[in-house]
């Protein structure tokens, strides 16, 4: 599981059945200082997250377990809406930007 | 998932029989600002994507979680055709543009 900042939204009406109603959002993974880490990717979101929010996400096969229907081809899913994330004494959720 | 553009397809009559009947698409990876990267993947199509479509694809074991790829040697599957996306409200890609 990693921290990430939601940076955008993807619209895709033609999608694998079972993914109906699942939001697709661009996320930028963050490191332990809240700075961007690695490449942005698209994750399913089951929490009401939107651009600018800090979240936790799961990647790999387990991501599908966060979706309403679990037998779906999903390898990244937002599973948490972060209010506070203290790392090295700093609350990263208060660090502006981050992506 | 990652985004990419379908730039072609693969025909391999001699292949693992578990992959028979699956359409193999060549997808060039694009990044979040829609810049084509020097990377591609061959993915099984599960949503009738065609050449020129911008698509989302899943990789790893998740790629085997469709009726088409379950229990088959597949590590990448196209699972959505992208209509549009925006970053912080700025449109980056629109299929109709």
């Amino acid at each position: 599981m990693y921290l990430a900042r939601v940076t955008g939204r993807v619209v895709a009406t033609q999608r694998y059945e079972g993914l109906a109603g699942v939001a697709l959002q661009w996320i930028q993974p963050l490191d332990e200082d809240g700075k961007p880490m690695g490449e942005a990717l698209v994750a399913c979101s089951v929490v009401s997250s939107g651009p600018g929010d800090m979240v936790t996400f799961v990647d790999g096969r387990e991501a599908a377990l966060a979706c309403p229907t679990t037998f779906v081809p999903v390898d990244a899913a937002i599973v948490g809406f972060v209010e506070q994330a203290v790392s090295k004494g700093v609350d990263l959720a208060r660090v502006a930007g981050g992506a | 998932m990652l985004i990419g553009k379908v730039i072609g397809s693969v025909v391999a009559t001699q292949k693992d029989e578990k992959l028979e009947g699956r359409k193999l698409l060549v997808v060039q990876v694009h990044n979040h600002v829609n810049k084509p990267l020097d990377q591609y993947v061959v993915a099984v199509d599960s949503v009738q994507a065609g050449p020129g479509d911008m698509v989302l694809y899943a990789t790893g074991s998740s790629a085997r979680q469709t009726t088409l790829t379950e229990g088959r040697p597949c590590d990448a599957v196209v699972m959505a055709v992208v209509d549009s996306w925006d970053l912080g409200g700025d449109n980056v890609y629109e299929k109709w543009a």
Side-chain angles (χ1 to χ4, degrees):
Chain A
M1 202 176 292
Y2 290 101
L3 287 169
R5 179 80 61 184
V6 177
T7 56
R9 292 166 302 191
V10 177
V11 176
T13 42
Q14 194 178 332
R15 53 173 71 189
Y16 184 74
E17 83 266 5
L19 285 174
V22 174
L24 294 166
Q25 298 184 345
W26 278 104
I27 58 174
Q28 170 58 59
L30 304 176
D31 65 16
E32 69 279 15
D33 300 316
K35 297 287 174 284
M37 169 183 78
E39 291 302 316
L41 63 140
V42 178
C44 289
S45 177
V46 290
V47 297
S48 57
S49 53
D53 294 333
M54 184 179 278
V55 294
T56 53
F57 77 99
V58 172
D59 61 10
R61 185 175 184 163
E62 290 67 29
L65 301 175
C67 296
T69 337
T70 56
F71 188 65
V72 281
V74 163
D75 62 12
I78 294 170
V79 289
F81 189 100
V82 173
E83 279 118 41
Q84 185 183 59
V86 177
S87 170
K88 302 178 196 169
V90 175
D91 179 359
L92 302 184
R94 296 289 164 270
V95 171
Chain B
M1 282 71 68
L2 297 175
I3 268 187
K5 177 170 265 194
V6 177
I7 57 170
S9 59
V10 171
V11 175
T13 40
Q14 198 179 335
K15 58 176 177 278
D16 185 308
E17 77 279 359
K18 293 199 188 73
L19 287 179
E20 261 153 32
R22 271 73 187 157
K23 194 164 74 174
L24 303 176
L25 297 175
V26 180
V27 177
Q28 177 170 16
V29 185
H30 283 221
N31 69 7
H32 61 297
V33 292
N34 199 12
K35 173 169 168 279
L37 304 180
D38 195 11
Q39 250 178 298
Y40 75 95
V41 63
V42 176
V44 169
D45 176 35
S46 75
V47 283
Q48 294 77 45
D53 279 344
M54 195 67 79
V55 294
L56 275 178
Y57 65 94
T59 56
S61 304
S62 307
R64 287 188 288 108
Q65 297 190 150
T66 74
T67 46
L68 271 174
T69 56
E70 184 182 15
R72 298 171 194 278
C74 165
D75 63 357
V77 68
V78 170
M79 35 71 79
V81 174
V82 174
D83 299 319
S84 65
W85 82 75
D86 71 86
L87 291 176
D90 307 329
N91 280 336
V92 174
Y93 169 79
E94 284 165 338
K95 187 172 182 176
W96 53 87

